[in-house]
Structures are given as structure tokens and as C-alpha cells.
Amino acid sequence: VMNNWVAVSPTQLGTKHYIPRHGYLFASDMQVVPILLAELAKLIPYYVLAFIHQDNTYQPVALTGLGDGRNMYVLQDGKWLGTYVPAFLRSHPFRLLTSENKQRVLCIHEDHLTEDSQGQPLFDQDGNPTQPVQDTLNFLNDCEKNRKVTQAACAALDQAGVNEKWPLQLKREEGQDPIRVEGLYKISEKALNELDVETFAGLRSNGALGLAYAQIFSMNQINHLTELAKYHARLKATQQQKANINPEEIFGDD
């Protein structure tokens, strides 16, 4: 999908500048965020992990919303709640996207392009990417390598038949109906425990087993989601413009 995204090439954007990301307001309506195998240990303390099914494959995600169009980890000023921000969001306004000829191309979101020299230049005088752009490209290339490893692990779990639908329900304040979240999948511990030795060993060798257990363990963070939902409900009720929230209330004092 190349809508709103422009390929970063010296011929097209040689003289353009860009406005770096400030905060995470761009992600304020994201309900799920794609995640990578390489960041599992950092994600588990803060997020409920799940799978979504699209394009005939499973994609591991961090659950950041509950179907109401709001990313509960983003505050009104764009600050992110929780110490660790998923890699997928940190490279914004840059992304690697697939072009028409199936090449992965560095792109920038058009909202961040500017003619104004107060922005940062994309290219130096020789037409090479400036250091911040090159650093982001290196980061995205590392993420892309790990994305392929992550996809392979998901495919192995799918092949082993251990994914199952997860009709998630979260309790709310007394007298309110629970929040229901549709479209998620989780790992069936029962199916995982019943795998034959060979399949189980295969999952261990390609990182798939680590992903399976990370998803299972992350379900302990459902109370974080419940607390975040309550916090946002209180915020809406009082209609405060600014609310002081102490992340320790939700995430402990990590």
C-alpha cells in the first residue's frame, strides 16, 4: 500500500526536507501493532500479544486498542504509555514498502515532507541519504530481516495447528457489559502440549516455540488493558484536557 507514502529517491525528493516524528499521535487509532520475534522479551511486560489472520497468514501483534478506535497507549499529547514502544512505530515517518516491481523501497509519509529548510534534509549535496535517514534505513533493514524470520515462525505454528480463535472479553466497571474483542487468535496450550516430539523440536529450532510461549505468557497482562480502559473511561467522563497518569499504576514500577 503506497497511499500517502512517497519513495525516498534523490531524483524525486533531492531538495526536500522532512519533519521528524514527535510522539506517537500518528498511531492514536491503531488497535493492533505488528511485532517481531527479536523484541518479544521487551514486549511481554507491557502488552497482550495475539495473532490476527490476514492474507492467509497469521501475523503476531501487540494489542493496543479494544475495538473503539482508540490506541490506549497513546496520550493526548502523543506520549506513549509504557517504557517500550514496538519497533514498527519507532521508524515513523519512514517505512519499507513493496513497490510495483516487488522491491522493498524506503518511503516517507507525505505529511512529514516540507520545503522549509527548518526541517531536516533527506539528502546531502552528493545525493546520499543524510545520517539520520541512513540510520533509519539500517534499522528498517534489520527489522525486515527479522520480519521474515517472524513470518516463518508464524507459518510453522500454523502448520503445527496450534492457533485457535480467541474471543477476548474484558470486565469493566460494575453494571457495565464486558468489552468483547473480535478477530484475535491465540496459541492453544492443549494443542501445543499434544504435539509429537519431532514437530515440537522443529518449532524450537526456528523460534516459533518462543513466540508461542511469549503469546501465552503475555495474556497475564490483560489486567493492564483493563486498567487502561478504566483510565480512558475516567478521562472521557471528566473531559479533562490534560490528565496526569502515573504509568506505575498500570505497569508496576518497572
Side-chain angles (χ1 to χ4, degrees):
V1 181
M2 299 287 275
N3 294 355
N4 308 119
W5 294 89
V6 183
V8 177
S9 77
T11 47
Q12 272 186 293
L13 305 178
T15 58
K16 289 267 194 184
H17 290 66
Y18 74 98
I19 303 154
R21 169 183 65 72
H22 293 294
Y24 293 93
L25 279 177
F26 70 91
S28 59
D29 58 355
M30 286 181 79
Q31 305 288 284
V32 294
V33 177
I35 59 168
L36 299 169
L37 222 51
E39 57 183 341
L40 289 177
K42 289 174 179 157
L43 291 163
I44 290 175
Y46 302 104
Y47 302 95
V48 174
L49 308 184
F51 297 90
I52 56 172
H53 194 253
Q54 54 184 184
D55 305 327
N56 293 324
T57 60
Y58 287 98
Q59 160 78 53
V61 294
L63 191 57
T64 51
L66 297 173
D68 61 354
R70 181 201 297 120
N71 181 336
M72 296 194 303
Y73 286 81
V74 179
L75 294 176
Q76 296 98 317
D77 58 2
K79 281 206 183 81
W80 189 271
L81 269 174
T83 309
Y84 182 77
V85 181
F88 181 78
L89 301 175
R90 293 204 309 271
S91 63
H92 194 83
F94 295 96
R95 243 187 232 181
L96 275 187
L97 295 171
T98 307
S99 66
E100 285 168 12
N101 59 2
K102 301 285 183 253
Q103 296 292 309
R104 296 294 273 181
V105 179
L106 180 66
C107 297
I108 184 167
H109 198 283
E110 62 187 8
D111 290 353
H112 283 255
L113 286 172
T114 177
E115 303 284 353
D116 190 340
S117 59
Q118 283 187 317
Q120 293 197 14
L122 286 162
F123 296 94
D124 63 20
Q125 285 153 330
D126 301 325
N128 298 314
T130 54
Q131 198 57 54
V133 176
Q134 187 58 53
D135 290 344
T136 303
L137 179 57
N138 296 343
F139 171 71
L140 282 166
N141 280 328
D142 288 343
C143 289
E144 177 63 14
K145 280 181 204 150
N146 200 253
R147 189 181 71 87
K148 287 176 178 163
V149 176
T150 307
Q151 276 183 326
C154 284
L157 291 170
D158 185 18
Q159 213 171 352
V162 294
N163 299 68
E164 63 180 7
K165 282 192 172 175
W166 185 16
L168 177 60
Q169 285 200 21
L170 289 171
K171 287 181 186 160
R172 282 203 281 188
E173 308 285 2
E174 216 169 307
Q176 291 184 314
D177 290 338
I179 299 168
R180 290 180 172 79
V181 186
E182 302 293 333
L184 299 178
Y185 292 80
K186 65 182 177 74
I187 296 296
S188 161
E189 271 192 272
K190 185 174 180 291
L192 199 60
N193 292 335
E194 288 171 359
L195 290 177
D196 61 73
V197 175
E198 202 178 326
T199 309
F200 193 81
L203 293 181
R204 194 162 52 199
S205 68
N206 60 15
L209 198 60
L211 177 57
Y213 282 126
Q215 192 282 311
I216 292 166
F217 294 147
S218 80
M219 287 157 73
N220 291 326
Q221 308 309 343
I222 282 179
N223 60 321
H224 289 171
L225 281 180
T226 311
E227 289 305 312
L228 278 169
K230 284 180 188 168
Y231 162 70
H232 283 289
R234 285 200 306 271
L235 193 61
K236 201 173 173 184
T238 55
Q239 300 213 311
Q240 287 168 274
Q241 287 310 301
K242 284 272 180 199
N244 293 321
I245 181 165
N246 178 0
E248 290 178 14
E249 285 176 30
I250 293 170
F251 300 111
D253 43 14
D254 180 355

